[in-house]
Amino acid sequence: MEELEFRYDTQLLLDQYVEDGEDADDVADDLLDEIRDYLLSNIKGDSMVVAADSGEDDFGEKAIIKIHYHTNEPWDVLSYCRTHGEIYDIVVEDMDRQQRNLQG
């Protein structure tokens, strides 16, 4: 069985509410670039997907970021992303355990 270089499949959504007068699409695009660049420079991993969109809910307009990243430091990804807004739908899966068909 091949050993994985990056063990944890880390996924999350992030909401950052925009200030009055800001364009949510522009904030989303800028946030996407900032997060992607930070992760690439500071947290080793592979199979990265960072996607951005904008939306609105009862609390206002927001930038929405979806992150999927294979890394050995998922807690660093979560900690960094938390500095940019509310993180939720967090999934950290141990791909080594999956590869060995282990449950739990």
Side-chain angles (χ1 to χ4, degrees):
M1 186 174 348
E2 181 181 337
E3 186 174 332
L4 297 171
E5 182 177 4
F6 300 106
R7 183 172 180 161
Y8 298 101
D9 178 0
T10 307
Q11 302 173 48
L12 63 95
L13 290 171
L14 183 153
D15 284 353
Q16 184 183 86
Y17 289 91
V18 300
E19 302 292 326
D20 288 337
E22 287 184 307
D23 182 275
D25 289 322
D26 291 342
V27 171
D29 290 342
D30 291 346
L31 190 55
L32 178 147
D33 291 338
E34 182 177 340
I35 290 172
R36 183 190 61 232
D37 293 346
Y38 180 88
L39 294 177
L40 288 171
S41 297
N42 296 284
I43 303 173
K44 291 181 181 180
D46 66 7
S47 297
M48 177 188 292
V49 176
V50 182
D53 201 356
S54 61
E56 188 171 353
D57 62 19
D58 292 341
F59 301 103
E61 285 190 274
K62 61 186 177 179
I64 306 163
I65 305 294
K66 168 70 175 174
I67 297 171
H68 176 132
Y69 195 37
H70 296 174
T71 182
N72 292 327
E73 292 86 27
W75 43 87
D76 292 342
V77 174
L78 299 175
S79 179
Y80 171 73
C81 288
R82 179 62 186 101
T83 68
H84 289 288
E86 180 181 347
I87 59 174
Y88 60 102
D89 287 353
I90 299 164
V91 176
V92 177
E93 296 180 323
D94 185 336
M95 295 183 298
D96 182 62
R97 287 183 62 85
Q98 289 175 338
Q99 188 177 38
R100 292 182 287 132
N101 292 318
L102 298 176
Q103 302 295 317

